[in-house]
Amino acid sequence: SSKILVSIVTPCYNSKGTILQTVSSVSDQTFSNIEHFIVDGKSSDGTEELLNANKQLFTKLISESDFGIYDAINKGIKLSSGDIIGVLNSDDLFSAPTIIESIVEVFQNNNIDALYGDVVFVKPENPDRIVRYYSSKKFNPDKFKYGYMPAHPSFYARRELFEKFGYYKTDYTIAADFELLVRFLYVNRIKYKYVEMPFVKMRTGGISTR
């Protein structure tokens, strides 16, 4: 199982208050074959210094100006060499140390290109306090036309899909994740599976907004 490499991309901007929790939730994963790229859009709040002081917790920090969060994500994906790619935002953290292990297992046991699961929304100051559970269970691609989508932070896809069908469109300000999921799941009908499990804890109200 260690042959599979999982790449995690974390876009961040002025995330000093939460970034170490995010990074630690990756380094605490029981699955060992993970590369973690943090793409910082030239934070001015000390995020970069904090990350540089904790270099042992992640693979690489890229810090340069970018055209927003999706540009940052694309940079991370293009740098990565993993078989499977996921995005973990700088306000978010994995809901358990076994998440990546579970994801890899599902990929190994099923003939799929991608998977997604559920997420939970938590109190910004206390990630153990769950405010809302977002289930992707009832999703199917026809629901895209009603604006419904699976939880994007739980979306893990084979790297070649991005090479084949393209990356996040940076000219979309907030709908780029929606557009990419439509392009992958609906337009190109990739093979995917839903996993009934909360992958990620998301802070409500996003502490760092771009």
Side-chain angles (χ1 to χ4, degrees):
S1 66
S2 60
K3 282 196 189 73
I4 288 185
L5 176 64
V6 177
S7 303
I8 295 168
V9 176
T10 296
C12 86
Y13 183 69
N14 289 349
S15 312
K16 190 181 176 190
T18 57
I19 192 69
L20 277 192
Q21 262 189 315
T22 303
V23 171
S24 300
S25 85
V26 178
S27 64
D28 289 346
Q29 290 295 304
T30 51
F31 187 78
S32 57
N33 217 21
I34 295 174
E35 54 172 24
H36 186 195
F37 294 104
I38 302 169
V39 189
D40 178 67
K42 275 271 171 252
S43 289
S44 55
D45 68 342
T47 298
E48 203 183 329
E49 293 76 359
L50 184 64
L51 286 167
N52 280 324
N54 291 277
K55 274 197 165 97
Q56 74 287 356
L57 294 174
F58 56 91
T59 310
K60 193 176 165 72
L61 168 65
I62 300 93
S63 187
E64 56 189 33
S65 300
D66 55 45
F67 299 106
I69 192 165
Y70 296 107
D71 182 39
I73 293 171
N74 287 342
K75 281 183 191 177
I77 295 173
K78 287 170 185 173
L79 274 175
S80 62
S81 48
D83 304 287
I84 298 162
I85 289 185
V87 175
L88 184 68
N89 288 312
S90 60
D91 289 337
D92 304 348
L93 55 156
F94 284 121
S95 45
T98 50
I99 299 297
I100 297 299
E101 198 178 305
S102 304
I103 288 169
V104 169
E105 216 167 281
V106 176
F107 269 100
Q108 284 178 320
N109 296 333
N110 298 274
N111 179 24
I112 53 169
D113 301 312
L115 58 75
Y116 57 79
D118 304 334
V119 296
V120 289
F121 290 91
V122 296
K123 283 254 182 245
E125 64 288 353
N126 180 6
D128 293 326
R129 285 274 314 279
I130 292 172
V131 183
R132 185 160 80 88
Y133 191 102
Y134 184 102
S135 171
S136 304
K137 189 174 192 167
K138 292 189 167 75
F139 172 80
N140 68 61
D142 291 330
K143 293 199 172 172
F144 276 131
K145 49 176 171 289
Y146 305 108
Y148 185 70
M149 68 191 256
H152 178 256
S154 70
F155 183 70
Y156 280 73
R158 294 192 184 277
R159 188 166 49 102
E160 60 264 25
L161 294 182
F162 295 96
E163 291 159 12
K164 208 164 153 185
F165 304 129
Y167 295 80
Y168 289 92
K169 292 192 171 168
T170 52
D171 49 342
Y172 282 76
T173 41
I174 52 169
D177 47 5
F178 185 82
E179 189 280 331
L180 181 123
L181 290 174
V182 170
R183 192 169 4 120
F184 280 21
L185 304 179
Y186 187 76
V187 180
N188 291 293
R189 299 281 173 187
I190 64 168
K191 293 196 287 288
Y192 63 89
K193 190 175 170 63
Y194 163 65
V195 183
E196 193 164 357
M197 179 178 87
F199 287 23
V200 169
K201 292 178 172 183
M202 299 176 70
R203 285 182 166 84
T204 50
I207 287 177
S208 69
T209 47
R210 284 186 179 240

